[in-house]
Amino acid sequence: MNTKSVTFLSNNIPIAANLYLPQGKPAGALVVGHPGTGVKEQAAGLYAQLLAEKGFITLAFDAAYQGESGGLPRGLEDPAQRIEDIKSAVTYLQTIYDNNIGVLGICASGGYGVAAAATDHRIKAIATVSAADIGRQFRNGGDGKQSMAVIQGMLDMAAADRSAKEPGSFPLFPTEEQAKAMGLHVYEGWKYYCTDQGQHPRSAKAFQWRSVELIAGFDAFRFADMIAPRPLLMITGSNAVTTWMTAAAITTAQSPKEHYIIEGATHVELYYKQPYVNRAVEKLQTFFNDKL
């Protein structure tokens, strides 16, 4: 396997990516999207490397406004741009592999990938791992139990930020003590992004307040039924509190579709932890070999 650093444009924003090239004839080509606060060197890079070892050309990239990619202001999370990034990544892969191309989205990129596939027929198969619709995440919380007062309060702050002399940002992670008090899901996310377990110096630690307005009205799975007859695979852990979002997507989508559950895994453990990641990769290999 060979790895190359490459750049492509998305709405004229330079997007930094790592291209993984397998030995021998490729089994297919895959765009791999990272979680909402991640970068290409974390979970997306791990899956891209492992799938390249299975024979796929893979492309893991940093979202616009984040990581090594361009775009101002820094730390903006724009769902429309994130979807465009995926589509632009497909365009880039077409320049080196003129054949069927699939998309793998992890966490928030799972939601963005579903939305991209709904309207881009060049995407021949879509898979997700620990999928999250960032709109539902902000409105309802990771477990779906958050009071609507939380997002309303954030929209108040976003409105105030619009009137400020200079735009500001909000932190994405609580303190360690706060994370522990907020339950296993939040604490696992804190450990992955804020300790040596998975942290990276370029991963996002704060978002622009404008992001809240862009996210609050977003619905990643609104048009999931438009993916068919192209296939959809969604992988979750049996212990993931976010599975309700995948269930919502599967309910909306039409066949062929599959919800594959990995016993024992949580949402975040599917980012990095063995043997869960290998089980996911084995399922993804079979899926993309069959569908591309």
Side-chain angles (χ1 to χ4, degrees):
M1 179 186 67
N2 296 317
T3 306
K4 295 173 56 178
S5 295
V6 300
T7 304
F8 58 91
L9 293 179
S10 175
N11 281 336
N12 290 318
I13 297 172
I15 302 297
N18 289 332
L19 178 67
Y20 299 87
L21 300 169
Q23 299 295 321
K25 183 180 179 180
L30 306 173
V31 173
V32 184
H34 62 69
T37 62
V39 287
K40 62 186 179 299
E41 290 83 5
Q42 295 173 309
L46 174 60
Y47 276 84
Q49 291 176 53
L50 293 173
L51 286 164
E53 291 171 0
K54 301 293 186 182
F56 297 93
I57 297 171
T58 59
L59 182 72
F61 64 92
D62 286 336
Y65 311 110
Q66 299 170 34
E68 290 185 302
S69 291
L72 294 173
R74 304 305 294 169
L76 179 67
E77 182 75 5
D78 181 350
Q81 181 62 52
R82 287 289 297 260
I83 293 168
E84 184 62 27
D85 292 347
I86 292 171
K87 294 183 178 185
S88 297
V90 171
T91 300
Y92 173 80
L93 278 182
Q94 286 184 315
T95 68
I96 60 173
Y97 185 77
D98 188 18
N99 210 320
N100 292 340
I101 294 172
V103 168
L104 168 62
I106 304 168
C107 190
S109 282
Y112 295 137
V114 167
T119 56
D120 190 339
H121 284 192
R122 300 174 304 164
I123 299 170
K124 301 304 182 183
I126 170 71
T128 70
V129 172
S130 295
D133 169 11
I134 198 166
R136 286 174 170 85
Q137 180 95 23
F138 269 58
R139 291 189 299 270
N140 307 114
D143 61 1
K145 299 176 181 179
Q146 176 178 283
S147 167
M148 191 60 69
V150 175
I151 187 63
Q152 295 289 9
M154 294 185 75
L155 286 167
D156 285 343
M157 296 295 291
D161 184 72
R162 275 187 174 269
S163 300
K165 291 183 179 180
E166 294 185 7
S169 61
F170 61 94
L172 293 169
F173 300 101
T175 65
E176 180 177 5
E177 293 73 19
Q178 290 170 334
K180 287 180 178 178
M182 295 170 74
L184 179 62
H185 176 65
V186 174
Y187 183 56
E188 283 189 323
W190 178 87
K191 284 197 298 181
Y192 182 78
Y193 286 108
C194 300
T195 76
D196 289 342
Q197 184 181 91
Q199 69 179 353
H200 191 278
R202 287 192 294 271
S203 69
K205 298 298 188 296
F207 277 166
Q208 292 282 322
W209 275 110
R210 182 185 167 206
S211 305
V212 179
E213 295 180 0
L214 299 174
I215 291 168
F218 178 63
D219 186 341
F221 305 140
R222 172 65 180 83
F223 298 107
D225 58 325
M226 293 176 63
I227 295 173
R230 292 164 295 148
L232 169 65
L233 168 68
M234 305 189 78
I235 299 174
T236 62
S238 63
N239 294 335
V241 300
T242 55
T243 298
W244 65 278
M245 287 187 267
T246 286
I250 287 290
T251 297
T252 301
Q254 302 297 311
S255 295
K257 59 183 178 180
E258 180 182 1
H259 182 187
Y260 183 76
I261 299 173
I262 296 179
E263 288 299 322
T266 64
H267 179 103
V268 175
E269 285 176 332
L270 280 173
Y271 291 5
Y272 74 97
K273 190 172 184 178
Q274 299 295 4
Y276 305 132
V277 170
N278 276 346
R279 292 177 189 167
V281 169
E282 288 169 3
K283 180 65 177 179
L284 291 164
Q285 179 188 12
T286 299
F287 173 74
F288 285 120
N289 273 333
D290 288 346
K291 307 303 182 182
L292 291 182

